[in-house]
Amino acid sequence: MNYVKAFLFVLVAVLVGAGIGVYRIAGVEDSKVFFTNGSWMGSKDLPLGKDKLLTAQASVFALFALPSKEAIYLFARRDESKELLNSANDYTITGNLNQIRANYWSITAYGKDLYLIPNSVDRYSFNNNSIKADSLGNFTITLSHTQKGDNWLPTPEDARFNLVLRIYKGDYNYLSSLETTQLPVIKKLQP
């Protein structure tokens, strides 16, 4: 009988420990390593391999992440009003091509499972070369489950989703001020 109690105790301890681990890994928004700027959160220098919790989070949320000297990753799970992104709503991302000072940048939409969102036009992101902008470089991306406009980025059907802004080989001064610089704005459209 004591073996059964001991086994059950160990089993409960393992399950509770695993649950706490999953909860902490999923709690990426609460990480002290990340800064928040508007809807976007990220880090200028991810201590991958040094910070075990962050390394686990990056393994889940940023598989195959490059080192910070190559690329900076900013994540958005919420709009400018701090509400979770959900495709029951439509959104816009507004910005300027020159706002993100880098050799290359992209904005990609992912489902809540962190995989690309299947869609009929095989469109998963826009980058500084593919997005349509006005003569001053201003752009608007529409996030919607149904096709809307030239810069339409498909979202899943009535589900949460996430965005990733990747910045490759950014200007040093720009990257140094990511916590305060103007980043593209994610706004929910009113029905």
Side-chain angles (χ1 to χ4, degrees):
M1 190 70 164
N2 288 337
Y3 292 116
V4 172
K5 285 182 183 178
F7 173 77
L8 290 175
F9 177 78
V10 169
L11 180 62
V12 168
V14 168
L15 292 174
V16 168
I20 291 170
V22 168
Y23 174 78
R24 290 194 64 207
I25 290 169
V28 69
E29 287 185 16
D30 300 325
S31 176
K32 293 178 182 15
V33 174
F34 296 117
F35 65 84
T36 301
N37 180 344
S39 299
W40 303 97
M41 57 182 276
S43 174
K44 294 185 287 190
D45 186 22
L46 291 175
L48 297 176
K50 298 173 188 163
D51 181 317
K52 289 181 177 41
L53 176 59
L54 179 67
T55 302
Q57 289 170 330
S59 297
V60 172
F61 295 103
L63 192 60
F64 305 120
L66 293 171
S68 297
K69 66 182 180 181
E70 296 291 327
I72 302 294
Y73 303 92
L74 303 178
F75 306 89
R77 298 170 78 176
R78 299 176 184 275
D79 63 21
E80 69 173 354
S81 299
K82 304 300 180 206
E83 295 178 26
L84 288 171
L85 298 172
N86 188 309
S87 62
N89 305 300
D90 291 348
Y91 300 86
T92 58
I93 303 172
T94 56
N96 186 283
L97 291 173
N98 301 314
Q99 180 179 37
I100 304 170
R101 295 193 313 267
N103 287 348
Y104 181 83
W105 59 262
S106 67
I107 297 175
T108 307
Y110 291 93
K112 68 179 182 178
D113 60 0
L114 305 177
Y115 287 98
L116 294 173
I117 299 165
N119 64 81
S120 61
V121 293
D122 292 330
R123 182 176 299 148
Y124 309 101
S125 67
F126 282 101
N127 61 57
N128 55 316
N129 297 319
S130 68
I131 197 164
K132 293 184 178 163
D134 68 17
S135 60
L136 299 175
N138 298 312
F139 65 84
T140 299
I141 298 171
T142 303
L143 301 161
S144 175
H145 180 64
T146 57
Q147 188 164 357
K148 296 189 175 166
D150 290 333
N151 291 334
W152 169 58
L153 194 53
T155 61
E157 188 172 351
D158 199 18
R160 288 190 2 224
F161 64 95
N162 306 285
L163 299 169
V164 175
L165 169 57
R166 291 176 175 82
I167 303 170
Y168 296 92
K169 296 288 187 177
D171 173 79
Y172 176 80
N173 292 327
Y174 171 74
L175 295 180
S176 297
S177 62
L178 273 178
E179 297 98 327
T180 57
T181 192
Q182 179 69 32
L183 294 171
V185 175
I186 305 167
K187 184 175 182 179
K188 179 167 71 171
L189 295 176
Q190 300 304 319

